[in-house]
Amino acid sequence: MFFDHYYDLSFISDSDSYQDIPFELGYITNANDSRTVVEVSFPEHPDLYGMASEYNMHGFGWGYEEREQHGDIFGQYSVRTVYLQMRMYDIEEDRTITKAELYFSDGSNMVVDIGQINLYKHEHSPNLLKHMSGSASSAGTSESRYNVLEEISILKIEGPLYEKFDHRIEIEMNGVDSDTLHDMGGLSVEKGHNLTLFSRVKPVDEILERYTRFDIHPELIILGEDGNRQSLRIYNTSSEDYRYHFMDLYRYT
C-alpha cells in the first residue's frame, strides 16, 4: 500500500538533454516481503521513465550490497522508501501523474495510485523583486525577504495542490494572510520597500493526514506598474511525518 504523495516538481523546458528529476515514494508492505522496487514507469505518460532503488538515493543499487532486511519494521509491517530519478527529455508541457507501474526484483509488477505529482516548467523569478534573504526551520516555518523594485500589487495565491492543502498551510505577505488578501482584493507594496513572505505548515493528529506526504510550490501572483503580471513560487511548504507506530500503521491500512 502506497502513501499518498502530492508534489510540485519543476523541469527546464528548453533543455536539449536528459533531465533527471529526483523524488521519493513511500509504501507499506509485509515485514517478510523480500521484493524491492527496481524500476518505475508511468502509464499516463509512457515517455517518462523512472530509475528506482530502495537502497540509496545516489547509487541505485549498482554494486550496493543487498541487505537481508528491507525498510523499517513495525510488527507485521515494513515501511519502505523508493528513491526515484524520473528521466525526462524534450518535454514542453506540464504533466500530472497519479499512477505508477512498479517493477519488482522478483519479476512481478503492479499499478498503484500514488496521489498527484505535478510537473511544471521552471520559470525565472519575477524581475519586480530582488531576493534578500531566507530561512527555514524544522518546525515547518519559512521566511523569505525581497526588495521591491517597482510598485506592485499582490493579487492572490494559487495552485491546484495549494487549494487542496490550504487548511494545512499558512502564508503571510507583510503580515497579511491569504484570506485577508482575498477580502482586500490585493496588497500594494511601494518601490523600495520590503516584501516578507512567511509560511507555516500546521501539524495534524489524524492518521490519514499525518501520513499524506506533500511538497508543494504555490504561486504568488504579482502585478507590476505597467500591468505586467508575474508569479513567484513559494517553497518550503512540505510535510512528511516519519513517526511510524504499529497501531497507527494498522489503522492506516
Side-chain angles (χ1 to χ4, degrees), residues 162-216:
Y162 172 68
E163 293 169 5
K164 181 176 180 63
F165 291 101
D166 62 354
H167 65 291
R168 295 277 318 273
I169 299 171
E170 294 180 358
I171 298 177
E172 294 181 357
M173 300 127 290
N174 287 355
V176 176
D177 63 33
S178 56
D179 290 336
T180 304
L181 177 69
H182 178 268
D183 294 339
M184 293 170 55
L187 172 68
S188 296
V189 185
E190 296 180 1
K191 177 180 178 179
H193 288 206
N194 288 337
L195 170 64
T196 300
L197 299 180
F198 172 83
S199 65
R200 182 174 81 93
V201 177
K202 303 175 187 176
V204 290
D205 293 323
E206 200 272 327
I207 297 299
L208 289 177
E209 283 210 84
R210 270 182 50 201
Y211 286 169
T212 295
R213 304 180 180 187
F214 66 81
D215 185 357
I216 67 178

Side-chain angles (χ1 to χ4, degrees), residues 94-109:
D94 295 356
R95 305 286 186 95
T96 297
I97 300 170
T98 64
K99 297 180 182 298
E101 185 164 9
L102 311 172
Y103 301 86
F104 292 91
S105 55
D106 66 349
S108 62
N109 65 292

Side-chain angles (χ1 to χ4, degrees), residues 12 43 62 106 120 184 186:
I12 301 172
W62 301 324
D106 66 349
Y120 69 89
M184 293 170 55

Side-chain angles (χ1 to χ4, degrees), residues 5-142:
H5 308 77
Y6 295 89
Y7 297 151
D8 285 327
L9 303 174
S10 67
F11 65 91
I12 301 172
S13 62
D14 59 355
S15 174
D16 57 0
S17 60
Y18 285 105
Q19 300 174 66
D20 287 333
I21 311 297
F23 64 101
E24 300 176 10
L25 297 176
Y27 72 101
I28 306 168
T29 188
N30 295 325
N32 61 358
D33 190 350
S34 62
R35 304 175 304 166
T36 60
V37 177
V38 297
E39 186 179 331
V40 176
S41 64
F42 305 97
E44 299 154 307
H45 303 282
D47 56 334
L48 300 180
Y49 164 79
M51 296 185 294
S53 171
E54 292 191 25
Y55 295 113
N56 57 0
M57 183 179 297
H58 305 291
F60 287 91
W62 301 324
Y64 192 87
E65 182 179 356
E66 294 193 7
R67 297 166 294 182
E68 292 185 4
Q69 176 180 311
H70 304 291
D72 296 317
I73 305 299
F74 302 89
Q76 69 194 57
Y77 302 108
S78 173
V79 179
R80 311 279 188 86
T81 298
V82 181
Y83 302 100
L84 278 165
Q85 292 274 17
M86 181 188 296
R87 177 146 288 187
M88 303 174 61
Y89 180 74
D90 196 25
I91 302 297
E92 294 293 334
E93 71 279 2
D94 295 356
R95 305 286 186 95
T96 297
I97 300 170
T98 64
K99 297 180 182 298
E101 185 164 9
L102 311 172
Y103 301 86
F104 292 91
S105 55
D106 66 349
S108 62
N109 65 292
M110 64 185 299
V111 176
V112 297
D113 295 322
I114 57 175
Q116 183 174 326
I117 312 296
N118 289 337
L119 303 174
Y120 69 89
K121 288 175 287 189
H122 172 77
E123 298 177 354
H124 296 291
S125 298
N127 56 21
L128 304 172
L129 304 172
K130 179 181 179 181
H131 184 259
M132 304 297 291
S133 63
S135 63
S137 77
S138 58
T141 63
S142 176

